[in-house]
């Protein structure tokens, strides 16, 4: 997965703005290349979990486009690896790319979660 500088900058800019809570949104991919970041709202603001909320009109627009949707959220200081809470709350995002950014270390990593299995996605240029 390749996250070009512009998209990565948008993630890195959003995450600290939400401190002390986790930030969240969607990263849209054309193939393996990220083309856009759509900021979301954490409907349950917390430093330990998130619930992604997007404007319904934005959701409709995104769903009309033929792009891969990857859920994104930040961790305040823990490594950019899915937590137990992330795995337990994967829901409809199971099998989709799952990006985590750590504010403290400026690290970004991509994963896929299916059932209780966590798979690291090839880093490309994260």
């Amino acid at each position: 997965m390749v996250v070009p500088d512009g998209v990565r900058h948008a993630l890195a800019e959003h995450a600290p703005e939400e401190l002390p809570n986790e930030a969240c949104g969607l990263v849209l991919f054309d193939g393996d290349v990220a083309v856009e970041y759509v900021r979301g709202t954490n409907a349950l603001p917390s430093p330990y979990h998130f619930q992604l909320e997007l404007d319904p009109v934005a959701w409709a627009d995104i769903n009309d486009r033929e792009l891969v949707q990857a859920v994104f959220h930040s961790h305040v200081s823990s490594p950019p690896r899915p937590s137990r809470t992330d795995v337990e709350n994967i829901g409809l995002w199971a099998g989709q790319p799952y990006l985590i950014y750590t504010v403290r270390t400026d690290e970004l990593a991509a994963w896929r979660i299916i059932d209780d299995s966590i798979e690291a996605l090839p880093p490309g240029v994260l």
Side-chain angles (χ1 to χ4, degrees), residues 5 10 29 40 43 45 58-59 74 77 79 87 112 116 118:
D5 288 343
F29 283 83
W59 270 116
S74 63
S77 62
V87 173
R112 182 169 283 122
D116 291 331
I118 301 170

Side-chain angles (χ1 to χ4, degrees), residues 1 7 15 28-29 33 52 56 60 73-74 94 96-97 103-105 108 111 119 123:
M1 306 200 80
V7 175
L28 305 179
F29 283 83
V33 179
L52 176 62
H73 79 284
S74 63
Q96 293 295 107
V103 176
R104 181 178 53 83
T105 60
L108 179 65
W111 308 89
E119 170 191 359

Side-chain angles (χ1 to χ4, degrees), residues 7 10-18 21-29 34 36-44 46 49-55 58-59 62 68-75 86 90 92-93 96-101 108-109:
V7 175
L11 302 173
E13 183 177 81
H14 183 200
E17 291 174 7
E18 300 298 326
N21 301 313
E22 293 186 351
C24 58
L26 289 180
V27 179
L28 305 179
F29 283 83
E36 183 179 349
Y37 174 56
V38 179
R39 282 182 180 225
T41 300
N42 187 345
L44 299 172
S46 166
H49 63 269
F50 72 99
Q51 181 176 317
L52 176 62
E53 184 175 88
L54 285 179
D55 175 74
W59 270 116
I62 292 166
V68 173
Q69 299 174 20
V71 71
F72 160 80
H73 79 284
S74 63
H75 284 176
D86 294 334
I90 193 66
L92 297 175
W93 296 104
Q96 293 295 107
Y98 193 83
L99 277 67
I100 302 173
Y101 173 80
L108 179 65

Side-chain angles (χ1 to χ4, degrees), residues 82-91 98 113 115-118:
S83 66
R84 179 181 307 235
T85 301
D86 294 334
V87 173
E88 290 171 355
N89 295 324
I90 193 66
Y98 193 83
I113 302 170
D115 299 320
D116 291 331
S117 173
I118 301 170

